[in-house]
Amino acid sequence: MNTRGLRSQLKDSVPVTGMGQQVGAYGVQDTLRSGFSSVKNELLPSHALELSEKNFQLNQDKMNFSNLRNIQGLHAPLKLQMEYRAARQIQRLPFLQSSHLALDTLKGNDESISFEDILNDPSQSEMVGEPHIMMEYKLGLM
Amino acid sequence: MALSNVVETPASGFNFENVCRNVALEGLLQGGQTKAPKPMKTGTTIAGVLCKNGVVLGADTRATSGEVVADKMCAKIHYISPNIYCCGAGTAADTEKTTDLLSSNLTIFSMNSGRNPRVVMAVNILQDMLFRYRGQIGASLILGGVDCTGNHLYKVGPYGSIDNVPYLAMGSGDLAALGILEDRFKANMEMEEAKELVRDAIHSGIMSDLGSGNNIDICVITKQGVDYIRPYQESEYKDKRQRRYKYRPGTTSILTEKIVPLELEVVQETVQRMDTA
């Protein structure tokens, strides 16, 4: 079935070669956390599940929206995505903790528990980002 | 302290930052003749049988960590919902966590809809979760339950495969248990006969497999309720270990006694009133 029109509206999944982001302080490779730098490390994922987990939500959404388009017509995914886009804007600045309540309710995440809710809770993250840099990254100025 | 290299909040869920480091460490350890500690597995015999009025699940109670028995009274039959129970084999932590997550999700569902969950729902949630992680979660589960559509017994493999048959065995002792089940299983058995069959199957797994042992737990699920018998049968080889190693007063005889009073004199006394209003 034809999903080409829909693909232009959905973000692309992170490709295999998009793994290299291990930049530590002062722009040098963070050897303690990611080991000695090699081209292979930056190009390929280190764990079998790393790529699949990074793209999981995106791929699920793509699949669900294309199914919905095939069953109900273009309006169904368009309306849903519009609602998601609106709900995604209800959040605080990037370095603060936002609850994403509206987005979670729309997506149905408030009625299920998975590893995303238990492991690596962002509210208990040990690394705090520099507010100005995070804002610049979010606005695309960096 | 704010770090300048963090440009967005880290994603929740599994974190793969330490994979390279762990692989490198394993390589170093093997060279130095030491091994990383092995996770606790439940190297197990679990079995389930459908009978006339319900489902009978059975499990042994040994958990091993490499060649050492880590837990002699491990509970391998996990609660999922009031009408569904699940036996787990494989890595102990994985089976515990997976069944916990499943139980939480089904509880939310029953609170939302006001009904007891169906066994197929539990199986589908498990299948989705285990397939998503491509078998890295080492949990082989036998789910049994009674719901509005009847009695069900399912087996879920670590990669997400399912099987729906009237009698099942899993774990390292499954071949021994399956031998007994294949020989004596009949459709629509009575409850007592089914319990004896499961007990015999687990017993043969305990006798023939090093990873299974100690006691046998049985869980009987019927429309009226659940009977979780733990232990159904205790092992004959009980160890006579003392739990308390404290000696009672008077064990050591007192030869001489000398008391020296410590004299203190009061140097300064201040009284501060406490306001208890």
Side-chain angles (χ1 to χ4, degrees), chain A residues 23-25 32-34 41 46-50 52-53 56 94 111-116 118-120 122 125 127-131 133-134 137 142, chain B residues 1-21 23 97-98 101 104-105 108-109 112 129 132-134 136-137:
Chain A
V23 182
L32 181 66
R33 281 209 206 97
S34 36
N41 272 348
S46 44
H47 192 266
L49 283 181
E50 190 172 353
S52 131
E53 279 298 295
F56 185 75
E111 289 179 347
S112 70
I113 298 181
S114 69
F115 288 112
E116 274 77 32
I118 306 173
L119 300 172
N120 265 335
S125 161
M127 299 198 289
V128 179
E130 179 40 63
I133 296 193
M134 290 180 89
Y137 183 80
M142 239 177 78
Chain B
M1 202 203 83
L3 297 169
S4 52
N5 56 313
V6 176
V7 287
E8 43 185 9
T9 40
S12 49
F14 287 109
N15 190 340
F16 296 101
E17 267 179 19
N18 285 336
V19 172
C20 295
R21 179 204 74 171
V23 168
K97 206 68 196 175
T98 314
L101 273 179
S104 306
N105 277 320
I108 298 178
F109 164 79
N112 264 337
M129 196 194 302
R132 172 177 172 176
Y133 296 107
R134 299 291 188 281
Q136 302 278 347
I137 296 190

